Amino acid sequence: MLDLRHRIALDINNFLQRDVRRSHPLEQLFWECTLRCNLACRHCGSDCKAVAEAPDMPREDFLRVLDSVNAHCEPHSVFVIVTGGEPLMRPDLEACGRGIYEKGFSWGMVTNGFALTPERFARLLDSGMRSATVSLDGLQDNHDWMRGREHSFERAAAAIRLLAGQKDFVFDVVTCVNRRNYAELPRLKEALIAWGVPGWRLFTVFPMGRAAGDPELQLPPDQFRGLLDFIRQTRREGRIHASYGCEGFLGNYEGEVRDHFYSCEAGITAASVLVDGSISACASIRADYHQGNIYRDDLMEVWERGFRPYRDREWMRTGECADCRYFKYCLGGGMHLRDDQGKLLFCHLKRIA
């Protein structure tokens, strides 16, 4: 049950979010620039590999998309996030970044850090990169287990220390919490603080891609509640800025484990261009909720006229969501938690009930 304080705050937030859904300002544009990867992560939602079946998107094709955005938006109001696969697998990543920057957009990347050397970091800074997110899934044994390659931890740790040493560079670390690394979160926290990490986002695995049939990756309810308690306590300490991912509605934990109340921004303020040109929302959505393709559609026209499944989510009021008293706050959960038929894969609120 929601207490009165949370109910009032969530009702106010719900009112404000309706205006955001109506205006749907594009604020984040993800570019899945490659499906190639130098690791073999157990939880990969894209099933990436060193030699991907889909070729990298030519950078000129994505830069033309930015021309469409530029015609409708102030470029400094839209942040471009380069994802993969692993973006550092592209030898022309610096040229990609320079092209994005020269069109007036700020940009950053999400990386596993394995191939980030000081020399390459310097080139990326020269190409206009202004932020980065590095994945670190535990201390050495557990990170290497999750990432499927030896020395992954030491490479990621070196990348994190490299970013921390760059003055005024914005970065954070993301950790996928699972049964194996759950117990070492306090020690991992101390390591991140020692390295100078300002922000730490923790999330749990959703059952898509390689993670669909791996029970070691799913937290049982008691550990899930323990994770939220850990984040709440870490935020109160104030030594590192911790937060839970944007995956689902968390009842009375809302307002205490994130900087904002739950909302899925997919298709509301966030869009993505996938490696095959598909126009989607958050790049984490693996189900086929594509709204068009850049090779036949103008992205901004699609942004204005498409994305109805994201902005009007009454279609999600089925199955276990049909009679849920909290639907107005949750709106069916994150879009990445739905399969191709629209079925909810799991409910966060039930995990903490």
Side-chain angles (χ1 to χ4, degrees), residues 205-222:
V205 178
F206 50 98
M208 296 287 276
R210 294 177 191 159
D214 193 339
E216 284 193 274
L217 298 181
Q218 308 298 322
L219 290 182
D222 62 323

Side-chain angles (χ1 to χ4, degrees), residues 11 39 56 78 96 142 155 199 215 223 242 269 276 302 311 331:
D11 282 336
L39 303 182
D56 295 354
V78 181
C96 295
N142 284 326
R155 295 283 194 95
Q223 290 187 348
T269 62
D276 64 354
V302 172
R311 296 167 189 166
L331 296 178

Side-chain angles (χ1 to χ4, degrees), residues 90-265:
R90 287 190 67 129
D92 67 341
L93 182 60
E94 291 86 342
C96 295
R98 174 58 60 183
I100 294 168
Y101 181 76
E102 289 179 347
K103 289 185 180 293
F105 294 84
S106 297
W107 73 278
M109 70 170 176
V110 180
T111 178
N112 59 42
F114 194 90
L116 187 63
T117 63
E119 296 76 19
R120 188 133 203 223
F121 182 44
R123 294 198 301 270
L124 289 168
L125 289 173
D126 288 342
S127 300
M129 185 175 74
R130 293 296 177 263
S131 76
T133 292
V134 180
S135 299
L136 189 71
D137 294 327
L139 298 174
Q140 183 168 348
D141 289 346
N142 284 326
H143 179 82
D144 288 358
W145 172 83
M146 178 69 105
R147 295 287 163 172
R149 185 168 179 178
E150 291 185 354
H151 309 298
S152 299
F153 173 81
E154 61 189 69
R155 295 283 194 95
I160 291 167
R161 291 192 293 267
L162 182 63
L163 301 183
Q166 179 66 34
K167 185 178 179 181
D168 298 326
F169 187 76
V170 178
F171 80 101
D172 65 358
V173 169
V174 295
T175 296
C176 176
V177 182
N178 57 76
R179 296 189 189 208
R180 285 180 60 119
N181 67 8
Y182 173 80
E184 68 184 18
L185 290 178
R187 287 187 292 146
L188 181 58
K189 177 182 70 174
E190 295 302 324
L192 296 178
I193 292 171
W195 295 340
V197 174
W200 186 22
R201 284 181 290 143
L202 302 98
F203 64 98
T204 46
V205 178
F206 50 98
M208 296 287 276
R210 294 177 191 159
D214 193 339
E216 284 193 274
L217 298 181
Q218 308 298 322
L219 290 182
D222 62 323
Q223 290 187 348
F224 183 63
R225 290 190 297 270
L227 168 63
L228 298 180
D229 290 335
F230 171 78
I231 294 172
R232 181 167 56 188
Q233 181 58 36
T234 299
R235 290 170 68 88
R236 290 172 178 170
E237 292 171 358
R239 299 165 63 219
I240 186 171
H241 190 73
S243 62
Y244 183 67
C246 59
E247 295 182 333
F249 178 66
L250 299 173
N252 286 322
Y253 284 101
E254 289 295 330
E256 300 183 11
V257 295
R258 302 187 185 102
D259 295 343
H260 53 81
F261 291 107
Y262 169 73
S263 64
C264 177
E265 295 301 309

Side-chain angles (χ1 to χ4, degrees), residues 55-81:
D56 295 354
M57 176 180 286
R59 65 177 181 270
E60 295 82 5
D61 295 353
F62 180 71
L63 295 178
R64 281 193 292 270
V65 171
L66 295 185
D67 291 333
S68 170
V69 178
N70 223 334
H72 295 82
C73 304
E74 167 57 46
H76 293 294
S77 68
V78 181
F79 190 75
V80 176
I81 303 167

Side-chain angles (χ1 to χ4, degrees), residues 303-331:
W303 179 254
E304 291 302 326
R305 298 186 175 90
F307 288 91
R308 182 174 177 179
Y310 297 88
R311 296 167 189 166
D312 180 1
R313 303 196 180 186
E314 282 299 312
W315 64 272
M316 290 184 171
R317 201 189 285 268
T318 59
E320 61 188 283
C321 296
D323 301 316
C324 179
R325 71 179 75 178
Y326 303 116
F327 184 85
K328 68 176 180 177
Y329 305 129
C330 179
L331 296 178

